[in-house]
Amino acid sequence: MPYRRRSKTSGFLSKTLKLVVLLALLGLSGKYLYKQYICFNPDKILSESVLKEKTFAVKPVEVVSPKYKIKAYLIEEKTAPIISFSFMFKGAGRASEDKDKQGISGVTAAMLTEGTRNLTSQEFKEKLENYAIGISFSSGLDDFSGSMITTSEHQEQAYALLKDVLLHPRFAEEDLTRTKLQLQKAFLLQKEHPQSILNLNFAEYLYQDHPYGRNPLGKWEDISKFNAQDLMNFMQTHLSQNNLLIGVSGDISAESLGHVLDNVFGSLPKNTAIGFVRNPEIDFKMADKNIDFAAGGQNITRFAAKGVSRNDEDFYPLYVANHIFGGSGLSSRLSKAAREEKGLTYSIYSYMSLADKSPLLQGGFSSTADKYAEVKNILQQVWNEFGQKGASDEEVKNAKEYLLSSYNLRFASVANLSEILLFMQKDNLGLDFLQKRNTYIQNISTKKVNEAAKKYFTPNGYISVNIGSFAKN
């Protein structure tokens, strides 16, 4: 995907997801791991997909609950007896944490699936399994998010469990102690894994003393002192109706949803007390930073340049430009130059990241230490050339065709659809976005793409942080 919002994890559904959670705790980049260990060929994926010709004639509706006026976007989809809720508490993520409470949002997210006042952790998880219900929470950089998926048959049980979690979480001492021990291990693992070390140093170097530069796990000195009341205080001050966004898809009518919204979310506090998070000041002319560390024979780089927010007029031109430069897998300019033509790296890529206070154009690569300098030079050369000369009409045409036809791959499940409805609200895209999105892509000209390339791919206009062995480079 040429741009990335956040990682979504589910705590207990499978061994695979448990691994994803561990990697998230370590601060690993999902995009990096995916492209590092899997041959990413989006054209092949698209050509074999049954979704590529799907159209979205049905426009979402905005549902307003009758009693508390809680809003949600809904797409009613009755082809399968499944209902998916994606919800978000804006501004309640890691960046909003107090300096002496770093990690509180992540610990709260982990503890919310550890039972309720009437159910122990084991009893709660057994109910989820017995009724085929999924409930999960995650703390992102900017927002605190949750999801629920259920069959139509067991929807009433799902709503009751979700409501009980939000209003009466258990926060038992033994469960909190276990969660802390798991986090303590994650802190230790962070110091051993090259990608984790790189990610931590990258954020700290880029953002300095801004909250975005903090360890995503928090601070162990703070976490070790958290108690149940701290977690409850966080919920009461950060999770409320006035910063709540909800996307729903599946086998539920607008009328029924309105009553569910009142029932599940209507007893949350009306308002929050979240502190303001300032915009970071980043000097994109800073020198590169090298970290000498034995990285299993690999040198790894992350780089970042100025990006654009989701509502910026340059978003779609840069979206297409990035796809051509490094966002299209094996067919990107970066991959062709460094991998396909010279075989110097298995993975080199770029993407647009959309943090609220710091949208960036990011990317990375890895290579053996003896080939690292050559790959880094190729990155710089391709970057500078793309900024100076831009893309050809043929490249823009191919990029647009792929971005248009691949869009439907995002709607492979009701869970994906409910999450898209959620971000349509967060980004103020409008109820008709699903029908208009491809028009936005179609209207992008080669001239607009090249104007964006010149503006954002400025000569040597990115910062890189690198880990590995640099003695010979």
Side-chain angles (χ1 to χ4, degrees), residues 89-93 96 237-240 242-243 272-277:
F89 297 93
K90 287 183 63 177
S96 68
T237 57
H238 287 70
L239 312 187
S240 67
N242 78 323
N243 68 332
T272 60
I274 298 173
F276 174 76
V277 178

Side-chain angles (χ1 to χ4, degrees), residues 307-336:
V308 296
S309 67
R310 186 64 182 79
N311 295 110
D312 193 286
E313 63 180 3
D314 288 339
F315 175 81
Y316 283 108
L318 185 58
Y319 183 51
V320 176
N322 171 71
H323 183 84
I324 296 167
F325 174 75
S328 56
L330 300 179
S331 62
S332 72
R333 282 198 179 186
L334 280 180
S335 186
K336 287 179 179 178

